[in-house]
């Protein structure tokens, strides 16, 4: 079946981050359709909206939007109706439903989710923490972490920590290396949730080979020896089990899926404390 391409317009009076995430999630459901995305952020005036219309009229397509100015939203919906293409506000249905349920007034102000709030500064602090505690660095404050990830090389420890930091989670990671003892600070930590990351030896060898090639390193070493890697992963999993740490296999997981599993474990830990 041939691939069907279509123009998709994402229009927001804020950064456009939320609407872009929604669009990606929606488009992922279609096997033979590919969106040509047109993202317009910070559209807050009629002049800016007219510029959007210029592109839209040349290549009409479905519109997803997030705008608090009702007059501009109505203009957008009117032109979409004239071109017989769908036009949907991605937030209004839930905002209106929740406002009715809570019996509260809706705040009509663009970009409120990006204010410099306490939560915003917590995310920045979490990012700084993740950078400072990457790959076993900055020992002495590991017990201040919410999460500590432990795993052999190339189990996506660093990118997972960075993703978690964007969610406001203070995440650190420590490499597991055969025949090298893990730091006492990690083994004595009481507050963080410590999680072991693992992956199939075949996948690890593939990733490690690609890593070495990117560094123009062609020498065959134990780092990519299939049996050595297998022994390494078995030893690591055995150690995690002995420590009673939960283990997540990242072989077929994206960073987002791994992080979701980690956040679920963190919620379970918090719920246990609350009981």
């Amino acid at each position: 079946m041939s691939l069907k391409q279509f123009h998709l317009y994402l229009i927001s009076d804020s950064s456009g981050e939320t609407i872009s995430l929604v669009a990606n999630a929606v488009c992922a459901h279609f096997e033979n359709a590919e969106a040509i995305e047109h993202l317009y952020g910070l559209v807050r005036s009629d002049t800016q909206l007219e510029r959007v219309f210029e592109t839209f009229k040349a290549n009409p397509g479905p519109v997803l939007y997030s705008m608090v100015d009702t007059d501009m939203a109505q203009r957008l919906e009117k032109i979409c109706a004239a071109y017989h293409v769908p036009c949907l506000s991605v937030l209004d249905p839930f905002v209106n439903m929740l406002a009715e349920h809570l019996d509260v007034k809706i705040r009509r102000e663009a970009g409120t989710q990006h204010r410099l709030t306490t939560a915003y500064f917590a995310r920045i602090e979490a990012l700084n923490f993740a950078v400072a505690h990457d790959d076993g660095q900055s020992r002495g404050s590991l017990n201040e972490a919410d999460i500590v990830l432990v795993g052999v090389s190339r189990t996506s420890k660093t990118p997972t920590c960075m993703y978690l930091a964007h969610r406001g989670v203070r995440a650190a990671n420590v490499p597991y290396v055969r025949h090298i003892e893990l730091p006492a600070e990690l083994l004595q930590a009481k507050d963080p949730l410590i999680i072991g990351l693992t992956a199939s030896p075949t996948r690890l060898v593939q990733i490690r080979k690609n890593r070495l090639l990117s560094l123009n390193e062609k020498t065959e070493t134990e780092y990519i020896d299939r049996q050595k890697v297998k022994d390494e992963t078995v030893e690591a999993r055995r150690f995690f089990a002995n420590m009673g740490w939960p283990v997540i296999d990242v072989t077929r997981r994206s960073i987002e899926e791994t992080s979701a599993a980690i956040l679920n474990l963190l919620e379970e830990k918090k719920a246990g404390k609350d009981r």
Side-chain angles (χ1 to χ4, degrees):
M1 187 178 296
S2 60
L3 185 66
K4 184 173 183 177
Q5 291 187 318
F6 65 99
H7 291 271
L8 177 63
Y9 291 82
L10 312 175
I11 306 170
S12 173
D13 54 18
S14 187
S15 67
E17 180 183 359
T18 299
I19 204 167
S20 182
L21 290 172
V22 171
N24 288 337
V26 170
C27 291
H29 288 275
F30 304 101
E31 295 182 358
N32 298 300
E34 180 182 68
I36 302 172
E37 291 188 2
H38 304 271
L39 176 61
Y40 296 91
L42 301 176
V43 178
R44 298 179 180 177
S45 70
D46 289 338
T47 300
Q48 292 168 325
L49 192 58
E50 286 298 335
R51 291 173 182 166
V52 175
F53 288 158
E54 288 177 9
T55 305
F56 175 86
K57 291 174 181 178
N59 294 289
V63 172
L64 295 177
Y65 73 90
S66 176
M67 307 176 78
V68 298
D69 188 310
T70 54
D71 290 336
M72 290 179 63
Q74 288 173 1
R75 286 190 62 203
L76 182 58
E77 292 185 354
K78 186 175 180 180
I79 194 170
C80 287
Y83 281 83
H84 305 289
V85 294
C87 182
L88 177 68
S89 169
V90 296
L91 296 181
D92 278 354
F94 185 69
V95 170
N96 294 333
M97 178 185 69
L98 197 58
E100 183 179 350
H101 175 72
L102 299 174
D103 192 23
V104 295
K105 184 179 179 180
I106 298 173
R107 181 169 55 197
R108 293 293 181 182
E109 184 180 344
T112 51
Q113 73 271 36
H114 298 300
R115 284 180 171 177
L116 302 183
T117 61
T118 301
Y120 173 82
F121 288 110
R123 289 197 298 273
I124 298 302
E125 197 280 331
L127 280 167
N128 290 331
F129 187 91
V131 171
H133 293 77
D134 183 41
D135 205 32
Q137 298 182 79
S138 189
R139 297 177 183 177
S141 56
L142 200 60
N143 201 52
E144 297 175 9
D146 299 312
I147 297 283
V148 180
L149 303 180
V150 185
V152 301
S153 176
R154 315 319 293 179
T155 48
S156 302
K157 298 184 296 296
T158 296
T160 302
C161 283
M162 294 303 169
Y163 183 90
L164 290 169
H166 279 285
R167 301 289 295 271
V169 177
R170 294 160 62 91
N173 71 84
V174 177
Y176 184 94
V177 182
R178 291 192 76 193
H179 311 307
I180 296 180
E181 290 187 8
L182 288 169
E185 182 190 8
L186 171 68
L187 303 180
Q188 295 167 4
K190 301 298 182 183
D191 294 338
L193 172 61
I194 304 174
I195 298 174
L197 298 185
T198 190
S200 74
T202 300
R203 179 61 175 160
L204 284 175
V205 169
Q206 180 184 21
I207 296 173
R208 291 180 181 185
K209 283 183 176 180
N210 291 336
R211 173 61 175 164
L212 292 178
L213 286 174
S214 70
L215 299 174
N216 293 320
E217 178 59 60
K218 299 179 181 179
T219 306
E220 293 287 329
T221 66
E222 290 187 359
Y223 185 66
I224 55 175
D225 181 273
R226 191 174 300 275
Q227 186 58 49
K228 296 291 185 183
V229 174
K230 181 179 180 180
D231 294 341
E232 183 182 17
T233 56
V234 169
E235 180 183 298
R237 292 202 67 151
R238 186 180 296 119
F239 183 86
F240 299 156
N242 289 338
M243 294 298 297
W245 296 340
V247 178
I248 297 176
D249 190 329
V250 303
T251 304
R252 294 180 178 84
R253 291 179 189 259
S254 64
I255 299 299
E256 293 83 357
E257 290 171 325
T258 300
S259 298
I262 291 170
L263 291 172
N264 286 342
L265 290 172
L266 185 60
E267 285 300 316
E268 290 176 9
K269 181 187 176 186
K270 290 178 180 178
K273 280 187 175 181
D274 293 339
R275 292 193 185 101

